[in-house]
C-alpha cells in the first residue's frame, strides 16, 4: 500500500485508543500503513487501571497459550527500547522476578507441589534475606524471569509515539456501528462521523461487543477489578499472596490487587472490595495492617469466554481483525499483539502463531454462555 495524503482514506482503522489499540496502530504505521485511530478514554478503561504484571510463570496456561504468554513477556525489553526512541519516555520495567508467598504450612506444600522447573524455592531465611518485608513468610517461590511494567507510563509513551507518527491520524470518538459492503468498510461514531478504511482492527477492550454491525457476537464482557495503593515501597519485586498480589512502583507507591466481579460497566469501588484488598495487603505486608490506603480505583477487564485473547481476522469478513478479549493479560500481551496484527495487515506471516486465538474457536460452543471469570469454569 502506498502513502496517502491526510485527505485520503487510511489503510487501517483501529477502533480503541487503549494500550492494545495504540500498539496495533503504532506497529502498523511502522510498517508503512496509514492509520486512523478512533477512540476516547472511557470510565473504567483497564489500560490505566491495571497493575502491569508480566507473570506467565504464575498465571500459567497450557501448550500454545503458555508459549504465547512467555513470548509476550520476553518481547518487553526490546519493545520498550523501540518505544523510548519514538517517544522519549523511559517506561519502568521490573525484571527482578515475582515471588509467590506462603504464609502457612498448607501454602508451603501447595507452592512446592506446583512449582515449575524454571522457579526457585526460597526457605524462610532465603525469603527474608531477599525481601526483608516478607520475614513473616514460611517460604516462597521465586519466578526469576517474570516481573512488572508501569502500564500508566507505557500508555503515555504509546500516546506520544502515535502522536508523533505522521502516518497516524487520531480522532476522539466512540464507534457505535460498523458497515461492510462490497465497496467499503465503514465505522460510524457516536458523534455521527463516518470513518472508512481498507481494513478495521477491533481493539475496543471491554466495549468490543457493544458495537452494532459486527459479523458475530464477540464473547467479551467487562469484569471489574478493584485496586488500592499505599505510599511507600517496602519491596523490590511483585509478590503474590494467597488472596491477591502487591506490586512496587518506582513512583513510590505499592499497588494491591485485585478483585474479579461481574458488575457490568460499573467501574466504581465498593466498601466490600476495598476491605478485601486491605486484608490482602496486610497478609502480604503486615506493616500495612490497620493502615488506610491512600489511593483506590477500579477498572474493567475485557474477559473472553475462555480467558484467552481473540486475535486475527474474522472468518467471514477478513477485512475485520480482532485484537480484544485479553482478559487478565492485556498489559502483558500489548507489544506482541501489535506485532502480530500489524504483520497480518501487511499480509505477512505473524511473528507468533495466533491461530488458536481465532474467534472461530467459539463457534462450536456458541450459546454456552460466558465462563466464570474467577475460575475459568
Amino acid at each position: 500500500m502506498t502513502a496517502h495524503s491526510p485527505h485520503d482514506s487510511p489503510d487501517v482503522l483501529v477502533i480503541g485508543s487503549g494500550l492494545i489499540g495504540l500498539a496495533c496502530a503504532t506497529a502498523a504505521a511502522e510498517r508503512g500503513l496509514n492509520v486512523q485511530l478512533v477512540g476516547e478514554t472511557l470510565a473504567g478503561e483497564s489500560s490505566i487501571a491495571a497493575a502491569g504484571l508480566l507473570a506467565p510463570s504464575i498465571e500459567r496456561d497450557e501448550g500454545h497459550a503458555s508459549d504465547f504468554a512467555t513470548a509476550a513477556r520476553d518481547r518487553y525489553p526490546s519493545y520498550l527500547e523501540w518505544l523510548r526512541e519514538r517517544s522519549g519516555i523511559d517506561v519502568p520495567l521490573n525484571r527482578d522476578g515475582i515471588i509467590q508467598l506462603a504464609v502457612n504450612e498448607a501454602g508451603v506444600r501447595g507452592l512446592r507441589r506446583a512449582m515449575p522447573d524454571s522457579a526457585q524455592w526460597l526457605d524462610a531465611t532465603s525469603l527474608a534475606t531477599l525481601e526483608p518485608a516478607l520475614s513473616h513468610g514460611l517460604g516462597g517461590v521465586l519466578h526469576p524471569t517474570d516481573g512488572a511494567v508501569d502500564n500508566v507510563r507505557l500508555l503515555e509513551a504509546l500516546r506520544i509515539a502515535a502522536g508523533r507518527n505522521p502516518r497516524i491520524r487520531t480522532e476522539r470518538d466512540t464507534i457505535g456501528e460498523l458497515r461492510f459492503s462490497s465497496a467499503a468498510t465503514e465505522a460510524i461514531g457516536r458523534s455521527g462521523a463516518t470513518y472508512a478504511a481498507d481494513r478495521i482492527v477491533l481493539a475496543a477492550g471491554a466495549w468490543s461487543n457493544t458495537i452494532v454491525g459486527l459479523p458475530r457476537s464477540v464473547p467479551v464482557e467487562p469484569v471489574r477489578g478493584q485496586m488500592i495503593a499505599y505510599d511507600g515501597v517496602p519491596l523490590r519485586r511483585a509478590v503474590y499472596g494467597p488472596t491477591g498480589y502487591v506490586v512496587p512502583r518506582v513512583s513510590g507507591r505499592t499497588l494491591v490487587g485485585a478483585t474479579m466481579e461481574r458488575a457490568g460497566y460499573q467501574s466504581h469501588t465498593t466498601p466490600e472490595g476495598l476491605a478485601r484488598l486491605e486484608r490482602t495487603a496486610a497478609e502480604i505486608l503486615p506493616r500495612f495492617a490497620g493502615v488506610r490506603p491512600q489511593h483506590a480505583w477500579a477498572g474493567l477487564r475485557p474477559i473472553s469466554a475462555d480467558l484467552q485473547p481473540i486475535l486475527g481476522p474474522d472468518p467471514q469478513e477478513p477485512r475485520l481483525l480482532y485484537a480484544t478479549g485479553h482478559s487478565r493479560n492485556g498489559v502483558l500481551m500489548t507489544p506482541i499483539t501489535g506485532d502480530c496484527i500489524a504483520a497480518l495487515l501487511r499480509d505477512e506471516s505473524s511473528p507468533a502463531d495466533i491461530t488458536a486465538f481465532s474467534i472461530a474457536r467459539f463457534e462450536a460452543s456458541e450459546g454456552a454462555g460466558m465462563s466464570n471469570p474467577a475460575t475459568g469454569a
Side-chain angles (χ1 to χ4, degrees), residues 213-224:
L214 290 166
R216 66 192 67 229
S217 177
V218 180
V220 171
E221 68 170 331
V223 173
R224 181 171 63 194

Side-chain angles (χ1 to χ4, degrees), residues 232-253:
V233 184
L235 295 165
R236 284 184 52 198
R237 51 184 59 76
V239 177
Y240 274 71
T243 61
Y245 54 78
V246 300
V247 182
R249 285 274 172 88
V250 296
S251 61
R253 299 199 302 175

